[in-house]
Amino acid sequence: MSKLLKIMLFWSLGFPVILATLRIITDYFLGRDIELFSYSAVFLGTAAAGLIFAGPLNYYILKSQEGIK
């Protein structure tokens, strides 16, 4: 699997899953209501941001650091 694909999968799937899971756990321990609709919005927004901004940005940073070494 190429580096670009690994980075893009992490930032578009892995990171949003981790973030949504942490929010659910935090809300559970704080005693708040857990509404999956709210967490799905956070997941989809983070996935879109990872796909559009974070993934390509991290890939280009990685590529530029490899060129320096």
Side-chain angles (χ1 to χ4, degrees):
M1 199 184 301
S2 70
K3 281 187 179 181
L4 175 62
L5 186 58
K6 287 180 185 178
I7 291 172
M8 294 301 287
L9 280 175
F10 173 75
W11 284 106
S12 62
L13 292 175
F15 184 71
V17 167
I18 293 168
L19 187 65
T21 304
L22 288 174
R23 285 203 56 201
I24 290 171
I25 291 170
T26 302
D27 286 348
Y28 176 77
F29 284 120
L30 293 176
R32 298 180 184 158
D33 291 334
I34 296 176
E35 298 177 12
L36 293 179
F37 189 71
S38 170
Y39 303 114
S40 65
V42 169
F43 175 80
L44 292 174
T46 310
L51 188 62
I52 296 170
F53 297 112
L57 182 63
N58 281 305
Y59 178 71
Y60 291 130
I61 290 171
L62 179 69
K63 281 296 185 182
S64 70
Q65 288 177 347
E66 287 177 357
I68 293 172
K69 292 180 183 178

